[in-house]
Amino acid sequence: MTASSTHASGNTNGPLSGAVVAVAGAGGPAGHAALLRLAEAGATVVAADADPARLAEAVDAARYAHGGATVTGDTVDLLDLAATKEWADRTEKEFGRIDGLVHLVGGWRGSTSFTETDLGDWDFLEKLLIRTVQHTSIAFHDALQRSGNGRYVLVSQVGAHKPVANNAAYNAGKAAAEAWTLAMADSFRKAGGDEGPRAAAAILVIKALVHDAMRAERPQAKFAGFTDVKELAEAVLGVWDRPAPEVNGQRLWLTPQP
């Protein structure tokens, strides 16, 4: 299945108008793009990151670009389940609902060969790629179910489906995060019964991300097959364009499927 979106620029009458969407890992380039696009679509955006400076920069940029939008930031340790649950509970109490959790927490470590893999890299990546998915999915599951139009969106990578020798730890981490997200999707499916799921957990699969600063640093690079962070943000919105039963448990490919 290929991800697509029909949102027009500046449209605030779509499925995200008035929605409340939380973004985990909002301080990076993908987070910047997601906050901007979600705010443009009319959503109330609740951003979180472990780095308060990067988070403040992303939140301020989205607020500046869309003066009427509500964009807030919380410094949250997503490796702490209790803190993550507190963030979810506080968000739902303050805004009355939660319609989405977009998981943008990432990290990468690789090796020169399979046998030279540093298992310390696994310890590092397990926390970022898996533990944060576990905590956010558990913390936000019930609120997304209550929403009636809830979405949990994971960003994954093609190596989860075609692992390579020097990326064993990273590829395995992404595969585990996908499996966990699909288990969440099954929970939504079972809760929906004969009527189908009322919420959805979906996976956007990329090769790698690129943004304007990367292009400026490497003007000769082709970045073949990379997904621009703005395209990723548009694909995130596209998950709400379809009914929950159509996207729940689906991998939406932004790069050719291996």
Side-chain angles (χ1 to χ4, degrees):
M1 183 177 293
T2 301
S4 64
S5 176
T6 57
H7 288 274
S9 179
N11 175 26
T12 57
N13 297 316
L16 282 173
S17 180
V20 178
V21 180
V23 179
H32 274 246
L35 299 193
L36 285 166
R37 191 64 186 91
L38 288 164
E40 183 182 30
T44 292
V45 189
V46 183
D49 199 276
D51 186 323
R54 294 204 322 165
L55 176 64
E57 183 181 349
V59 169
D60 288 347
R63 285 176 177 165
Y64 179 79
H66 305 289
T70 299
V71 185
T72 66
D74 290 304
T75 303
V76 181
D77 180 6
L78 298 176
L79 297 178
D80 183 330
L81 178 58
T84 309
K85 286 183 174 180
E86 182 183 353
W87 177 44
D89 293 343
R90 185 170 66 249
T91 298
E92 188 175 24
K93 182 177 181 180
E94 180 174 354
F95 297 106
R97 59 188 298 121
I98 301 174
D99 302 290
L101 186 288
V102 181
H103 185 279
L104 298 176
V105 181
W108 177 85
R109 285 186 181 178
S111 59
T112 55
S113 70
F114 178 77
T115 55
E116 293 182 8
T117 299
D118 182 349
L119 293 181
D121 291 347
W122 170 258
D123 296 334
F124 171 79
L125 292 170
E126 184 271 339
K127 293 180 175 65
L128 290 179
L129 303 184
I130 306 171
R131 191 67 66 183
T132 59
V133 171
Q134 293 172 328
H135 289 173
T136 53
S137 60
I138 289 171
F140 283 84
H141 176 282
D142 291 353
L144 295 177
Q145 181 69 25
R146 285 189 289 269
S147 157
N149 195 33
R151 301 288 188 273
Y152 185 97
V153 184
L154 175 75
V155 178
S156 188
Q157 198 265 345
V158 69
H161 306 271
K162 190 177 181 180
V164 295
N166 65 327
N167 271 347
Y170 178 76
N171 294 160
K174 283 295 190 183
E178 286 198 12
W180 188 275
T181 301
L182 294 176
M184 184 186 194
D186 189 55
S187 178
F188 288 147
R189 180 188 63 80
K190 289 176 177 175
D194 293 339
E195 297 180 2
R198 300 173 67 245
I203 300 166
L204 300 177
V205 187
I206 63 169
K207 175 183 176 181
L209 292 174
V210 64
H211 50 85
D212 291 343
M214 288 173 62
R215 293 191 180 94
E217 291 171 4
R218 298 169 59 193
Q220 304 304 318
K222 300 296 185 184
F223 299 108
F226 284 38
T227 299
D228 191 281
V229 292
K230 298 182 183 71
E231 296 174 14
L232 177 66
E234 199 67 33
V236 166
L237 265 66
V239 175
W240 276 269
D241 280 340
R242 306 177 191 176
E246 290 187 14
V247 294
N248 186 49
Q250 297 298 316
R251 294 181 178 92
L252 309 175
W253 290 83
L254 304 184
T255 189
Q257 186 172 347

